[in-house]
Amino acid sequence: MNELARIAAASVGSEFCLNVKKHAEGQHNKVYLVTTNDGKEVIAKVPHPIFGRPYFTTASEVATMDYVRQLASQSSRAVTDNAQARNILGLPVPKVHAWDPNASTNTVGAEYIIMEKAPGVNLRKIWPDLERAQRLQILESMIQFQKAFTSSTFGAIGSLYYAEQLGAGISSIAVEKQGQKPLESTQSFVLGPTTDFRFLVDERYKMDCDWGPWSCVEDYLEGIGTRELKYVESLTRFPQAGVGIFGGPGWLEPTKADKLTALQDYIKVSRYLAPRYSPATVPVLWHSDLHLSNIYVNPDEPTRITCIIDWQSTHVAPLFYQVETPEFLDFQGPKYPRGLDMEVDVEFFGIPSNISELLEDEQNKIRKEALVLSKKRSLYKMYELYCLCDNYDAYEAFRFQETTQGALIFGASRVAYHSEIPMRKWLMRLEEGWNTIPGYDKIPCPVHYSKQEREAHAEVYEYWGYCIGMMEDILKRLGGQPDYWDGSVSHEAYPYLKEMLKRVRRDFVSIVLETVDGTDEERNQLAETLWPFKDQDEGDVEVGCLGTSR
């Protein structure tokens, strides 16, 4: 820590460090606020060694921030704020003062990035107090921010690096050769091995697989399948899944064979899944972690965004594999159908048809909760409509995600977490509609399923739905946590959810004890095995499944 503080102070021309304070800590990084002897404040970021490929994640993050800053400066030289380069939307990224991705050779003994402190106030702190009109203005800024990326395309897929940072034997493709206008920079940028978290999570970063870069989308989609095939083959037990509860007596028991079969069939069709002649297929850079804590705004003008932070794992990939609604807009509950058709029934708003028969207090409670949900739902819908009107390429990408082909592409990365059953259903659906896919009517479908296979799968799918339903009930009781929830929560929600988790767990154990035969010891052991959120210890504090907070 002393050496990191010394480097941080020296990077901004200060004599020494006066104070170091933990600024934040999540699953992937430790972040410190360093104050120097002359009052300067900088951020020191140290990635956890258990996440990401050593060297590459840090090297790419620094190059990506520099690339975005230079692209911003080139786009709008007339706009400045505190001497920071800003992009055409007034959205700066942090300036890097010092960095080193070589943990084994540097004096700190860890990878690190020293960067400027984000100006402004964290949006999470003020979002609850903003008026609807202010929130809509921030949404518009987000759309323009994302539009800048959809209009700045690449000709290959991977992550950005400085050319000099990738040694001999590491595949790379020069950015200048991808149709991009060269930046006025002393550094040459290249696309190299991807840092997409889907290639890294749950120790995938340790595997020997194709990391890219890829020159075409067909190779990339096939690479997703071969990566997951290798990952599933390497497993001795399946990772914890937040999508269902499996393995009880008479319940669905996931098998490695079923997972491998689903992935082998996905690989057969993978080269035919991307939409042809569509802007949704074009590779783009994209910030995929836009939650409130990563956005800073001007405290005196809260609709003006002053900084976007956390560019770790930002990479170049097809637009359809990048776009997602910003996390801070998401909510648990039914959403309006996509497009301009918004006709729904009254129960869609959470108001039961028999509300008039309920007690007045209960009616008021239901209406209040429905109003809160309605505001969240409308803001979510407004983001979609802004995309439709002002960033249609992104809107097309969202639409593709809802197709059978889109479901297969995203499902391939989740087979280890028990999505092989819906994957099989989507593959069967793909075969059924194969002749309706433009350009493939004269090409035989690479996969085929007999009538007997379809009937057997329909029965298995019903069991799968039961296991999913059990998990959904637990997630609803925990405040509506999303599918594939890994236990990460905000600091504010941590105490409440920790206590709620204990209650839900007790009820779950009681249900298993009532419905399963065997001795008390055997049934208790089974309940502990089936419980989806395993306890973890962080220091001397037991935190249950809520092992991290963000």
Side-chain angles (χ1 to χ4, degrees), residues 45-106:
K45 180 177 180 180
V46 179
H48 290 305
I50 61 172
F51 176 80
R53 297 179 73 197
Y55 185 90
F56 291 98
T57 302
T58 297
S60 180
E61 182 177 5
V62 171
T64 299
M65 288 193 288
D66 190 18
Y67 183 89
V68 173
R69 283 175 59 83
Q70 293 190 45
L71 184 64
S73 179
Q74 182 172 287
S75 300
S76 182
R77 297 189 181 283
V79 183
T80 59
D81 180 27
N82 296 328
Q84 298 178 50
R86 297 167 63 84
N87 62 23
I88 55 175
L89 316 166
L91 290 171
V93 296
K95 180 180 178 181
V96 174
H97 297 302
W99 65 288
D100 195 324
N102 296 289
S104 61
T105 59
N106 67 38

Side-chain angles (χ1 to χ4, degrees), residues 127 131-133 135-136 139 325 328-337 339 342 344 348-349 369-387:
W127 181 258
E131 300 292 335
R132 175 179 168 80
R135 294 183 177 187
L136 288 176
L139 279 198
T325 303
F328 65 89
L329 295 177
D330 207 358
F331 66 95
Q332 295 304 306
K335 297 174 174 65
Y336 284 111
M342 297 171 59
V344 293
F348 173 82
F349 295 99
E369 292 174 349
L371 179 61
V372 171
L373 187 60
S374 179
K375 290 179 179 179
K376 294 180 179 179
R377 183 184 288 115
S378 65
L379 205 60
Y380 187 94
K381 183 65 178 181
M382 286 303 299
Y383 172 80
E384 179 203 327
L385 295 178
Y386 281 154
C387 282

Side-chain angles (χ1 to χ4, degrees), residues 65-194:
M65 288 193 288
D66 190 18
Y67 183 89
V68 173
R69 283 175 59 83
Q70 293 190 45
L71 184 64
S73 179
Q74 182 172 287
S75 300
S76 182
R77 297 189 181 283
V79 183
T80 59
D81 180 27
N82 296 328
Q84 298 178 50
R86 297 167 63 84
N87 62 23
I88 55 175
L89 316 166
L91 290 171
V93 296
K95 180 180 178 181
V96 174
H97 297 302
W99 65 288
D100 195 324
N102 296 289
S104 61
T105 59
N106 67 38
T107 55
V108 174
E111 300 180 33
Y112 65 84
I113 304 174
I114 310 297
M115 68 186 83
E116 65 183 349
K117 180 185 176 185
V121 62
N122 196 279
L123 185 56
R124 183 175 295 279
K125 294 181 179 179
I126 65 170
W127 181 258
D129 301 322
L130 294 180
E131 300 292 335
R132 175 179 168 80
Q134 293 174 309
R135 294 183 177 187
L136 288 176
Q137 281 184 265
I138 291 174
L139 279 198
E140 290 185 59
S141 295
M142 288 291 100
I143 293 295
Q144 295 304 317
F145 170 55
Q146 293 173 340
K147 186 178 179 181
F149 284 121
T150 58
S151 62
S152 181
T153 61
F154 295 78
I157 299 165
S159 287
L160 283 165
Y161 298 87
Y162 296 129
E164 64 183 28
Q165 295 295 326
L166 294 185
I170 300 176
S171 179
S172 65
I173 303 173
V175 167
E176 289 81 4
K177 295 180 181 179
Q178 306 311 310
Q180 285 278 18
K181 182 179 179 181
L183 299 175
E184 297 176 8
S185 171
T186 58
Q187 298 277 8
S188 294
F189 293 95
V190 298
L191 286 173
T194 187

Side-chain angles (χ1 to χ4, degrees), residues 230-245:
K230 284 189 175 183
Y231 180 65
V232 171
E233 285 175 340
S234 71
L235 295 175
T236 56
R237 63 183 181 86
F238 302 128
Q240 176 177 311
V243 66
I245 300 176

